[in-house]
Amino acid sequence: MTTTTSLAEIARRDLADLNDRIVGPGDPAYDEARAVHNAMIDRHPALLVRCSSAEDVARAIAFARAHGAPIAVRGAGHNGGGLGVVDEGVVIDLAGITGIVIDSEAHTVRVGGGCTWGEVDRATAQHGRATPSGIISTTGVGGLTLGGGLGHLTRRFGLTIDSLLGADVVLADGSTVHASADEHPELFWALRGGGGNFGIVTSFEFRTHPIGTAVMAGPTFWPIEQLPDAMRFYREFAPSAPRAVNGFFAAMTVPPADMFPAELHLRKVAAVMWCVVGSEEEATRLLAPVHDIGTPLLHHVGPVPHPALQSLFDGLYPKGLQYYWRADFVNELSDELIDQHLTWGQKLPTMLSAMHLYPIDGAAHDVANTDTAFSYRDAQYAEVILGADPDPANADAIRDWTVGYWEVTHPYSAGGAYVNFMMDEGQDRVHATYRDNYDRLARIKTQYDPDNVFHVNQNIHPTTT
Ligand SMILES: Cc1cc2nc3c(=O)[nH]c(=O)nc-3n(C[C@H](O)[C@H](O)[C@H](O)COP(=O)(O)OP(=O)(O)OC[C@H]3O[C@@H](n4cnc5c(N)ncnc54)[C@H](O)[C@@H]3O)c2cc1C
């Protein structure tokens, strides 16, 4: 009789001092450890290594390479396509690399590569400041930042990468470098939008920005039938509003939450979720035009501490739901496109399914397409169509709606999509997304990861393979 030794057992032997942080098949913690945010993803890695330092990361990389095992890097596991986990491979889990250090004189924050944005937001809010991120507090700093990072503060302060000052990176050969404008500047360029292709970031340094004790936030809802009026208003109003005003447009269903009047619960609506960096008086004045559009069902914008705004939707979109994603960059909301949004917005298949349009103008447009790897600076919006539901029996329904909606709206798009809103859509989509920046990214990939060790991502191929 022959017995084979599993890779997890070999790891426990070769990385003996990390033994209690290695999880393999058969361990009671295995199923919980391999699960990512999207329950549609069901992958079985050979092992997971819960790292707590750059040295742990380097050793885990060396171990995986020595055994020819693919590597997945896990920040908070939020990625829709499940890029934080890989079949038969080694998951390098960064959740133990925490630590947040604020420099209140330099207005910077240093963040461990495994932190979530909620942790960062709570720390910076104590100083009345914030780094722009997304709209959910449980999202990983790592994945969101390396893809670009867009959310409530984009128009005022730019993408998350526009506030990135430097990063400590463990490379494929196990060495550690610091990337910034002065050190490894090409790597620094690539990290700002190029995803996890170039190495594993164990520490990020960001600029912080003043936001006071609260931002002015809240939604406007219109009946879904009035989506055309609301979207025509939005396409004129949002790009010409002062940068202090951010609003993402949504076709959605009002959740049955206490914060909304009971008569609106479960009603399909066209919505804008506003975030104004300024006083309540300013927000009231700047957003006054919304009242003249159609017959709003609700307009409620008031002071909300930034960390509270960031966690407002956490409960709606927890780990363990079925999620199906499709995305595009969009420049123009033509009347024909608006008709399609009305048709598909009326067909939202479940309470949590939605279409969001995030503005990427304002401060994000101060940076040129070629200044960072994020190549769609000149786009007006990042659109995401998200099918979501707790019940696996609805997986087909949310997938069909998402794909159907995307297929009719994609022809009106600018071409590529925001990498953090994509699933596994093939190499043509990755090219379309990085367009003129792709060749430079491939050269940098060839320099820093010639063997494509980091390929469980929206992959940039080194020119040698
Ligand atoms: C409910 C929900 C809401 C979202 N809202 C927004 C939003 O408002 N704005 C926005 O911009 N995005 C948003 N996203 C998308 C989000 O940015 C991506 O899912 C992102 O990949 C999540 O980062 P993560 O670290 O949690 O992901 P993971 O799944 O852990 O990793 C994703 C990818 O990033 C790489 N990676 C992660 N950390 C590191 C690191 N430290 N070093 C090297 N590579 C790393 C991994 O290799 C992997 O390829 C949302 C996602 C969800 C599920």
Short mmCIF file of all heavy atoms in Angstrom, two decimals, residues 366-402:
data_model
loop_
_atom_site.label_atom_id
_atom_site.label_comp_id
_atom_site.label_asym_id
_atom_site.label_seq_id
_atom_site.Cartn_x
_atom_site.Cartn_y
_atom_site.Cartn_z
N ASP A 366 -7.93 64.62 -12.78
CA ASP A 366 -6.70 65.45 -12.73
C ASP A 366 -5.47 64.64 -13.14
O ASP A 366 -4.42 65.20 -13.40
CB ASP A 366 -6.47 65.98 -11.31
CG ASP A 366 -7.50 67.03 -10.92
OD1 ASP A 366 -8.21 67.52 -11.82
OD2 ASP A 366 -7.60 67.33 -9.72
N VAL A 367 -5.60 63.34 -13.11
CA VAL A 367 -4.48 62.44 -13.40
C VAL A 367 -4.68 61.88 -14.81
O VAL A 367 -5.80 61.51 -15.17
CB VAL A 367 -4.45 61.30 -12.36
CG1 VAL A 367 -3.29 60.35 -12.60
CG2 VAL A 367 -4.39 61.87 -10.94
N ALA A 368 -3.60 61.83 -15.59
CA ALA A 368 -3.74 61.39 -16.99
C ALA A 368 -3.82 59.86 -17.08
O ALA A 368 -3.37 59.15 -16.18
CB ALA A 368 -2.57 61.90 -17.82
N ASN A 369 -4.37 59.37 -18.19
CA ASN A 369 -4.49 57.92 -18.42
C ASN A 369 -3.17 57.18 -18.26
O ASN A 369 -3.14 56.03 -17.83
CB ASN A 369 -5.01 57.64 -19.84
CG ASN A 369 -6.50 57.87 -19.96
OD1 ASN A 369 -7.19 57.99 -18.96
ND2 ASN A 369 -6.98 57.94 -21.18
N THR A 370 -2.07 57.83 -18.64
CA THR A 370 -0.78 57.14 -18.61
C THR A 370 0.02 57.43 -17.34
O THR A 370 1.12 56.91 -17.18
CB THR A 370 0.07 57.55 -19.83
OG1 THR A 370 0.11 58.98 -19.88
CG2 THR A 370 -0.52 57.01 -21.13
N ASP A 371 -0.52 58.23 -16.43
CA ASP A 371 0.22 58.55 -15.19
C ASP A 371 0.24 57.38 -14.21
O ASP A 371 1.11 57.30 -13.34
CB ASP A 371 -0.40 59.77 -14.48
CG ASP A 371 -0.07 61.07 -15.21
OD1 ASP A 371 0.77 61.03 -16.12
OD2 ASP A 371 -0.67 62.11 -14.86
N THR A 372 -0.78 56.53 -14.28
CA THR A 372 -0.83 55.32 -13.46
C THR A 372 -1.33 54.20 -14.38
O THR A 372 -1.79 54.45 -15.50
CB THR A 372 -1.80 55.46 -12.27
OG1 THR A 372 -3.14 55.58 -12.78
CG2 THR A 372 -1.48 56.65 -11.39
N ALA A 373 -1.31 52.97 -13.88
CA ALA A 373 -1.76 51.85 -14.71
C ALA A 373 -3.25 51.90 -15.02
O ALA A 373 -3.71 51.32 -16.01
CB ALA A 373 -1.41 50.53 -14.01
N PHE A 374 -4.03 52.59 -14.20
CA PHE A 374 -5.49 52.71 -14.40
C PHE A 374 -5.72 53.54 -15.66
O PHE A 374 -5.51 54.74 -15.66
CB PHE A 374 -6.10 53.39 -13.18
CG PHE A 374 -7.60 53.38 -13.13
CD1 PHE A 374 -8.27 52.47 -12.32
CD2 PHE A 374 -8.35 54.29 -13.86
CE1 PHE A 374 -9.66 52.47 -12.25
CE2 PHE A 374 -9.74 54.29 -13.80
CZ PHE A 374 -10.40 53.38 -12.99
N SER A 375 -6.17 52.91 -16.73
CA SER A 375 -6.08 53.57 -18.04
C SER A 375 -7.36 54.27 -18.49
O SER A 375 -7.39 54.83 -19.57
CB SER A 375 -5.66 52.55 -19.11
OG SER A 375 -6.78 51.81 -19.50
N TYR A 376 -8.41 54.21 -17.69
CA TYR A 376 -9.67 54.82 -18.12
C TYR A 376 -10.01 56.08 -17.31
O TYR A 376 -11.15 56.29 -16.92
CB TYR A 376 -10.83 53.82 -18.05
CG TYR A 376 -11.03 53.06 -19.34
CD1 TYR A 376 -10.40 51.85 -19.54
CD2 TYR A 376 -11.82 53.57 -20.35
CE1 TYR A 376 -10.57 51.14 -20.73
CE2 TYR A 376 -12.01 52.88 -21.54
CZ TYR A 376 -11.38 51.66 -21.72
OH TYR A 376 -11.55 50.97 -22.90
N ARG A 377 -9.00 56.91 -17.06
CA ARG A 377 -9.23 58.16 -16.33
C ARG A 377 -10.23 59.05 -17.02
O ARG A 377 -10.91 59.83 -16.39
CB ARG A 377 -7.91 58.94 -16.24
CG ARG A 377 -6.89 58.30 -15.44
CD ARG A 377 -7.30 58.38 -14.01
NE ARG A 377 -6.24 57.82 -13.19
CZ ARG A 377 -6.14 58.08 -11.91
NH1 ARG A 377 -7.01 58.85 -11.31
NH2 ARG A 377 -5.20 57.52 -11.21
N ASP A 378 -10.22 58.98 -18.35
CA ASP A 378 -11.07 59.91 -19.09
C ASP A 378 -12.51 59.41 -19.17
O ASP A 378 -13.38 60.11 -19.69
CB ASP A 378 -10.51 60.13 -20.50
CG ASP A 378 -10.23 58.82 -21.22
OD1 ASP A 378 -10.24 57.77 -20.56
OD2 ASP A 378 -9.99 58.86 -22.44
N ALA A 379 -12.79 58.22 -18.65
CA ALA A 379 -14.18 57.76 -18.66
C ALA A 379 -14.99 58.56 -17.65
O ALA A 379 -14.45 59.11 -16.69
CB ALA A 379 -14.25 56.27 -18.32
N GLN A 380 -16.29 58.61 -17.88
CA GLN A 380 -17.16 59.39 -17.00
C GLN A 380 -17.68 58.55 -15.83
O GLN A 380 -17.79 59.03 -14.71
CB GLN A 380 -18.33 59.94 -17.82
CG GLN A 380 -19.13 61.00 -17.14
CD GLN A 380 -18.33 62.28 -16.88
OE1 GLN A 380 -17.52 62.69 -17.70
NE2 GLN A 380 -18.52 62.87 -15.72
N TYR A 381 -17.97 57.27 -16.12
CA TYR A 381 -18.56 56.41 -15.09
C TYR A 381 -17.97 55.00 -15.14
O TYR A 381 -17.59 54.52 -16.21
CB TYR A 381 -20.07 56.25 -15.29
CG TYR A 381 -20.83 57.51 -15.56
CD1 TYR A 381 -21.20 57.86 -16.86
CD2 TYR A 381 -21.19 58.36 -14.51
CE1 TYR A 381 -21.90 59.04 -17.11
CE2 TYR A 381 -21.88 59.54 -14.76
CZ TYR A 381 -22.24 59.87 -16.06
OH TYR A 381 -22.92 61.03 -16.31
N ALA A 382 -17.97 54.33 -14.00
CA ALA A 382 -17.74 52.89 -13.96
C ALA A 382 -19.08 52.25 -13.62
O ALA A 382 -19.67 52.54 -12.56
CB ALA A 382 -16.71 52.53 -12.90
N GLU A 383 -19.58 51.44 -14.54
CA GLU A 383 -20.88 50.79 -14.33
C GLU A 383 -20.66 49.38 -13.80
O GLU A 383 -19.75 48.68 -14.26
CB GLU A 383 -21.62 50.71 -15.67
CG GLU A 383 -22.95 49.97 -15.60
CD GLU A 383 -23.44 49.61 -17.01
OE1 GLU A 383 -23.97 50.50 -17.69
OE2 GLU A 383 -23.26 48.44 -17.42
N VAL A 384 -21.46 48.97 -12.83
CA VAL A 384 -21.43 47.57 -12.41
C VAL A 384 -22.86 47.06 -12.33
O VAL A 384 -23.76 47.74 -11.83
CB VAL A 384 -20.67 47.38 -11.07
CG1 VAL A 384 -21.33 48.12 -9.92
CG2 VAL A 384 -20.54 45.89 -10.74
N ILE A 385 -23.06 45.88 -12.88
CA ILE A 385 -24.35 45.20 -12.79
C ILE A 385 -24.10 44.02 -11.86
O ILE A 385 -23.22 43.19 -12.12
CB ILE A 385 -24.83 44.72 -14.17
CG1 ILE A 385 -24.93 45.92 -15.13
CG2 ILE A 385 -26.17 44.00 -14.06
CD1 ILE A 385 -25.04 45.53 -16.59
N LEU A 386 -24.83 44.00 -10.76
CA LEU A 386 -24.55 43.01 -9.71
C LEU A 386 -25.80 42.20 -9.41
O LEU A 386 -26.79 42.73 -8.89
CB LEU A 386 -24.09 43.73 -8.43
CG LEU A 386 -23.88 42.84 -7.20
CD1 LEU A 386 -22.74 41.85 -7.44
CD2 LEU A 386 -23.58 43.69 -5.97
N GLY A 387 -25.75 40.91 -9.75
CA GLY A 387 -26.81 40.01 -9.33
C GLY A 387 -26.43 39.45 -7.97
O GLY A 387 -25.31 38.97 -7.79
N ALA A 388 -27.33 39.52 -6.99
CA ALA A 388 -26.99 39.05 -5.64
C ALA A 388 -28.21 38.46 -4.96
O ALA A 388 -29.33 38.97 -5.10
CB ALA A 388 -26.43 40.20 -4.80
N ASP A 389 -27.98 37.38 -4.22
CA ASP A 389 -29.07 36.74 -3.47
C ASP A 389 -28.50 35.71 -2.50
O ASP A 389 -27.48 35.08 -2.81
CB ASP A 389 -30.04 36.03 -4.42
CG ASP A 389 -31.36 35.71 -3.75
OD1 ASP A 389 -32.11 36.66 -3.45
OD2 ASP A 389 -31.62 34.52 -3.47
N PRO A 390 -29.14 35.52 -1.34
CA PRO A 390 -28.62 34.50 -0.41
C PRO A 390 -28.86 33.07 -0.88
O PRO A 390 -28.16 32.16 -0.46
CB PRO A 390 -29.41 34.75 0.88
CG PRO A 390 -30.36 35.85 0.64
CD PRO A 390 -30.27 36.28 -0.79
N ASP A 391 -29.86 32.85 -1.75
CA ASP A 391 -30.29 31.48 -2.04
C ASP A 391 -29.59 30.92 -3.29
O ASP A 391 -29.80 31.43 -4.40
CB ASP A 391 -31.81 31.49 -2.26
CG ASP A 391 -32.38 30.09 -2.40
OD1 ASP A 391 -31.59 29.13 -2.49
OD2 ASP A 391 -33.62 29.97 -2.42
N PRO A 392 -28.79 29.85 -3.14
CA PRO A 392 -28.13 29.27 -4.31
C PRO A 392 -29.11 28.87 -5.41
O PRO A 392 -28.75 28.82 -6.58
CB PRO A 392 -27.40 28.04 -3.74
CG PRO A 392 -27.26 28.32 -2.29
CD PRO A 392 -28.44 29.16 -1.90
N ALA A 393 -30.37 28.62 -5.03
CA ALA A 393 -31.37 28.24 -6.05
C ALA A 393 -31.62 29.39 -7.02
O ALA A 393 -32.13 29.18 -8.12
CB ALA A 393 -32.67 27.83 -5.37
N ASN A 394 -31.26 30.61 -6.63
CA ASN A 394 -31.46 31.77 -7.51
C ASN A 394 -30.21 32.13 -8.32
O ASN A 394 -30.19 33.16 -9.00
CB ASN A 394 -31.89 33.00 -6.69
CG ASN A 394 -33.33 32.86 -6.21
OD1 ASN A 394 -34.13 32.20 -6.87
ND2 ASN A 394 -33.64 33.45 -5.07
N ALA A 395 -29.17 31.28 -8.23
CA ALA A 395 -27.91 31.60 -8.91
C ALA A 395 -28.11 31.79 -10.41
O ALA A 395 -27.59 32.75 -11.00
CB ALA A 395 -26.87 30.52 -8.64
N ASP A 396 -28.88 30.90 -11.03
CA ASP A 396 -29.09 31.03 -12.48
C ASP A 396 -29.85 32.31 -12.81
O ASP A 396 -29.53 33.00 -13.78
CB ASP A 396 -29.86 29.82 -13.02
CG ASP A 396 -28.99 28.57 -13.04
OD1 ASP A 396 -27.75 28.71 -12.89
OD2 ASP A 396 -29.54 27.46 -13.19
N ALA A 397 -30.84 32.61 -12.01
CA ALA A 397 -31.67 33.79 -12.29
C ALA A 397 -30.84 35.07 -12.21
O ALA A 397 -30.94 35.95 -13.08
CB ALA A 397 -32.84 33.86 -11.32
N ILE A 398 -29.97 35.17 -11.21
CA ILE A 398 -29.21 36.42 -11.09
C ILE A 398 -28.12 36.48 -12.16
O ILE A 398 -27.80 37.55 -12.67
CB ILE A 398 -28.64 36.64 -9.66
CG1 ILE A 398 -27.66 35.55 -9.26
CG2 ILE A 398 -29.75 36.78 -8.65
CD1 ILE A 398 -26.97 35.82 -7.92
N ARG A 399 -27.59 35.31 -12.52
CA ARG A 399 -26.57 35.30 -13.59
C ARG A 399 -27.22 35.71 -14.92
O ARG A 399 -26.69 36.55 -15.65
CB ARG A 399 -25.93 33.93 -13.70
CG ARG A 399 -24.77 33.91 -14.70
CD ARG A 399 -24.23 32.53 -14.98
NE ARG A 399 -23.69 31.84 -13.82
CZ ARG A 399 -24.26 30.80 -13.21
NH1 ARG A 399 -25.40 30.29 -13.67
NH2 ARG A 399 -23.68 30.24 -12.17
N ASP A 400 -28.37 35.14 -15.23
CA ASP A 400 -29.02 35.43 -16.51
C ASP A 400 -29.39 36.91 -16.62
O ASP A 400 -29.22 37.53 -17.67
CB ASP A 400 -30.29 34.57 -16.67
CG ASP A 400 -29.94 33.09 -16.84
OD1 ASP A 400 -28.74 32.78 -17.02
OD2 ASP A 400 -30.86 32.25 -16.78
N TRP A 401 -29.91 37.47 -15.53
CA TRP A 401 -30.28 38.89 -15.55
C TRP A 401 -29.03 39.75 -15.75
O TRP A 401 -29.03 40.67 -16.58
CB TRP A 401 -30.98 39.27 -14.24
CG TRP A 401 -31.23 40.75 -14.08
CD1 TRP A 401 -32.24 41.47 -14.65
CD2 TRP A 401 -30.43 41.67 -13.33
NE1 TRP A 401 -32.12 42.81 -14.28
CE2 TRP A 401 -31.03 42.95 -13.47
CE3 TRP A 401 -29.28 41.55 -12.54
CZ2 TRP A 401 -30.51 44.09 -12.86
CZ3 TRP A 401 -28.76 42.69 -11.92
CH2 TRP A 401 -29.37 43.94 -12.09
N THR A 402 -27.96 39.43 -15.02
CA THR A 402 -26.75 40.24 -15.11
C THR A 402 -26.18 40.20 -16.52
O THR A 402 -25.85 41.25 -17.11
CB THR A 402 -25.69 39.71 -14.10
OG1 THR A 402 -26.25 39.72 -12.80
CG2 THR A 402 -24.43 40.55 -14.13
#
